[in-house]
Amino acid sequence: MGLLTELRSSISRVTSKLFAPDSGPKRIGIYGPPNAGKTTLANRIARDWTGDAVGPESHVPHETRRARRKENVEIKRNGKSVSIDIVDTPGVTTKVDYKEFLEHDIEKEDAVRRSREATEGVAEAMHWLREDVDGVIYVLDSADDPFTQVNTMLIGIIESKDLPVLIFANKIDLEESSVQQIANAFPQHETVPLSALEGDNMDEVYDKIAEYFG
């Protein structure tokens, strides 16, 4: 009986380890349309807590054409610590036109290459959303109309996967910013105002990240 009891105990310990919840960092995808300030936000978070950046920022659309990941970002709030992996994803859109790049004095050959890479980046972002993230930060430009097909589609996918999501109304430093229009577009989710560029309201941003993803 002693041997049988010991065997059962060993099996129990093994299965407990196999099926225990993953205590590692949660993968948090930063999503949204192009030029909403996703990489600026990712860099702000990473620099504040690790001292490093995630990727280059630019006013040119689709500068982020591949998902970039910053691992083990530990955010400490109110005596609580949450560890996350930031996944900065390419801006999602229904169409990438190389002519968008020509408007920024980029040569046609380079513009075509960028548009092809950006299209592949959209597919990669969707793969991450469907397979590899534990939560979502959805970044919107508060100076733009949020009622778009892409925003509605992505929020719907996030909801269908039952992922925790925070909506960040970015660029509140702009005169034409309207946080309320973002809140009105998605009243089922909490909207947090911020300026990733200027660092405005980042205390609330970190409080909410710790609350939602901790």
Side-chain angles (χ1 to χ4, degrees):
M1 291 295 290
L3 181 60
L4 183 58
T5 301
E6 185 177 343
L7 181 59
R8 285 174 176 169
S9 179
S10 297
I11 293 173
S12 178
R13 286 194 299 270
V14 170
T15 54
S16 293
K17 289 180 180 179
L18 284 173
F19 298 104
D22 184 10
S23 58
K26 293 183 178 178
R27 294 178 299 271
I28 306 303
I30 300 181
Y31 279 82
N35 275 21
K38 298 181 296 300
T39 300
T40 304
L41 176 61
N43 283 340
R44 171 72 62 178
I45 296 171
R47 286 193 181 110
D48 281 353
W49 298 101
T50 72
D52 299 324
V54 176
E57 303 167 23
S58 174
H59 66 282
V60 178
H62 307 290
E63 184 63 27
T64 302
R65 299 185 294 280
R66 287 291 181 272
R68 299 187 182 99
R69 184 170 174 175
K70 181 65 178 175
E71 297 182 334
N72 297 311
V73 178
E74 187 176 6
I75 298 174
K76 297 179 179 179
R77 305 302 293 175
N78 304 316
K80 181 180 179 181
S81 177
V82 55
S83 184
I84 63 174
D85 291 348
I86 298 172
V87 183
D88 179 28
T89 66
V92 177
T93 183
T94 55
K95 180 182 179 182
V96 182
D97 191 335
Y98 78 91
K99 294 177 183 177
E100 293 181 68
F101 299 103
L102 298 179
E103 297 172 2
H104 296 275
D105 297 324
I106 294 173
E107 296 295 329
K108 182 176 180 180
E109 184 177 350
D110 191 22
V112 170
R113 176 185 61 81
R114 284 174 174 246
S115 66
R116 182 171 59 251
E117 291 175 352
T119 301
E120 293 169 354
V122 171
E124 183 185 13
M126 297 307 296
H127 172 79
W128 273 94
L129 182 59
R130 291 191 172 97
E131 304 292 339
D132 292 318
V133 296
D134 303 306
V136 173
I137 292 172
Y138 200 83
V139 182
L140 290 167
D141 184 340
S142 60
D144 287 345
D145 183 1
F147 291 98
T148 68
Q149 179 183 358
V150 167
N151 290 335
T152 302
M153 175 193 71
L154 283 177
I155 293 296
I157 292 172
I158 293 164
E159 290 174 343
S160 71
K161 292 185 64 62
D162 200 26
L163 292 169
V165 56
L166 278 170
I167 294 180
F168 286 174
N170 193 25
K171 304 188 183 183
I172 59 173
D173 54 297
L174 299 180
E175 185 177 345
E176 60 271 31
S177 166
S178 174
V179 175
Q180 192 58 51
Q181 72 172 348
I182 306 295
N184 290 343
F186 305 104
Q188 70 274 36
H189 299 292
E190 185 161 9
T191 298
V192 181
L194 76 149
S195 170
L197 180 64
E198 301 295 334
D200 297 340
N201 203 39
M202 292 306 296
D203 280 340
E204 183 180 2
V205 166
Y206 294 137
D207 286 344
K208 293 301 180 183
I209 288 175
E211 176 186 342
Y212 272 66
F213 307 128

